[in-house]
Amino acid sequence: MSANRYGVTLALKEHLAAGNPITRLEAIIYFGVPSLTSNISKMRQEGWMVKSRKVSYVRVLLRINKVAVVKPPANLPINEIEMTEYWLEK
C-alpha cells in the first residue's frame, strides 16, 4: 500500500510542479489522494512554496469536466460554494 501512496503523492507533486492548481475534489478525482491538506502540509515542510485561495465550486467543476463527468445535484448552489485551491508559487 505504501508504494501506491507514494505514487499518488508523486502525481500530485508533478501536477502542481507543472503549474496546475488543485482542490480537494480534483485531488480525489484525478489521483485518489485521500487527504490533500495533509499532502500540502508535508510539501510545505519540505520547502515547497504552496499558496492557496478560495475559488467557486462552479469554477472547479468546469476544470474537472474537461477530463471527467461530474454532475452536482440540481438544487446545489454551485455559484455560492467555495473551495480552497492550491498552487505553487514560482
Side-chain angles (χ1 to χ4, degrees):
M1 178 129 154
S2 61
N4 185 25
R5 210 178 214 176
Y6 176 76
V8 298
T9 301
L10 180 59
L12 172 64
K13 287 179 179 180
E14 288 176 350
H15 179 80
L16 288 167
N20 301 304
I22 194 138
T23 62
R24 183 180 305 221
L25 185 59
E26 291 168 307
I28 292 169
I29 292 171
Y30 296 163
F31 310 116
V33 172
S35 177
L36 178 61
T37 52
S38 161
N39 281 279
I40 294 297
S41 293
K42 288 176 187 172
M43 288 176 70
R44 286 179 171 148
Q45 289 172 357
E46 292 171 1
W48 295 67
M49 297 295 294
V50 183
K51 299 293 182 177
S52 65
R53 67 176 162 230
K54 296 287 186 182
V55 294
S56 70
Y57 185 61
V58 71
R59 181 177 178 174
V60 175
L61 285 176
L62 289 171
R63 274 197 318 239
I64 291 171
N65 281 322
K66 290 179 183 177
V67 296
V69 178
V70 176
K71 292 185 180 184
N75 61 346
L76 190 68
I78 60 175
N79 289 316
E80 298 171 21
I81 298 172
E82 290 187 331
M83 303 188 87
T84 303
E85 172 182 81
Y86 299 93
W87 76 96
L88 294 183
E89 181 81 5
K90 293 187 179 189

